Amino acid sequence: MALTSLLRHQRRELAMKLVKRELRTSPVHSLTGLPEPEIRTLYRMQHDRSPPSGPMPSASSFFSSRKNQAEVTLFGALYRHLGGKRIHRQLSADILMKAHDLYRAVHPDDGDGKGLDFTDAWVIARDLKSGATRFLPCRQCGLDYLIADHVDIPPSCPFCFFRRLRKQKEGR
Ligand SMILES: [Zn+2]
């Protein structure tokens, strides 16, 4: 097999895996280099419908509440655990898939649309690479939590927030 067709085969195979996870067309394109029309065809073959269009989810939607921030932090911690420092330089589809599988083991997709889907995971990985989303160490509990610029919640630890909340409730 010629090198170019081998590469093409590998790209298509990777695109197929990503499409099965319902990753949106533009991230599949950026991870595989496959032309977008070809990706949309793969998507329709796999899911019997067109891939979703419209704007991608943004960092601000992930940090709209403390619960969401904790959820994003959970995924980010798994992703960083598997990818190490590389995650700030490159976005590896392989590590992303492994991290999302681990995340789904903790927070299964119950069909309720809750939790982070694979496209959300890609957006978080992209923002960790660019620095738009980053880890900060919590001086109180020692865990690293995620935060982004221009979000509604204060830049502090979600876990300590929930701990304080519970203490307040118990103190009543
Ligand atoms: Zn904390």
Side-chain angles (χ1 to χ4, degrees):
M1 198 190 280
L3 181 65
T4 46
S5 63
L6 181 69
L7 271 176
R8 221 192 115 62
H9 175 72
Q10 284 171 344
R11 282 175 173 193
R12 237 184 110 87
E13 213 169 355
L14 175 60
M16 204 58 225
K17 283 187 198 167
L18 299 169
V19 158
K20 274 187 184 155
R21 291 164 182 261
E22 298 189 52
L23 183 62
R24 301 266 293 258
T25 305
S26 69
V28 176
H29 171 69
S30 84
L31 286 169
T32 64
L34 221 61
E36 293 202 2
E38 199 175 330
I39 296 164
R40 280 194 285 272
T41 306
L42 285 178
Y43 194 100
R44 276 192 294 271
M45 274 164 51
Q46 184 64 38
H47 300 292
D48 252 348
R49 55 186 157 80
S50 294
S53 52
M56 294 283 291
S58 69
S60 54
S61 64
F62 300 135
F63 293 94
S64 57
S65 70
R66 288 296 195 180
K67 198 177 174 314
N68 290 351
Q69 183 197 15
E71 201 79 26
V72 177
T73 297
L74 167 63
F75 172 75
L78 295 168
Y79 179 62
R80 186 171 71 164
H81 178 74
L82 292 173
K85 284 182 181 154
R86 267 179 302 172
I87 63 164
H88 302 296
R89 292 194 307 272
Q90 54 176 269
L91 205 171
S92 147
D94 219 35
I95 292 168
L96 192 64
M97 287 190 279
K98 282 183 187 147
H100 194 251
D101 284 347
L102 282 179
Y103 168 79
R104 277 303 190 200
V106 179
H107 189 152
D109 182 5
D110 297 329
D112 55 3
K114 283 185 185 156
L116 301 165
D117 66 21
F118 193 63
T119 295
D120 296 333
W122 180 84
V123 171
I124 295 159
R126 180 201 64 189
D127 288 355
L128 278 168
K129 187 180 155 221
S130 73
T133 295
R134 53 201 175 273
F135 283 102
L136 284 180
C138 173
R139 281 193 211 123
Q140 271 183 298
C141 70
L143 289 171
D144 287 353
Y145 61 91
L146 280 179
I147 197 68
D149 294 326
H150 315 298
V151 293
D152 291 337
I153 51 164
S156 57
C157 172
F159 306 113
C160 286
F161 171 82
F162 284 118
R163 200 168 39 133
R164 276 195 305 273
L165 202 68
R166 206 183 58 212
K167 269 189 179 169
Q168 277 170 15
K169 275 183 189 161
E170 283 168 358
R172 237 181 255 159

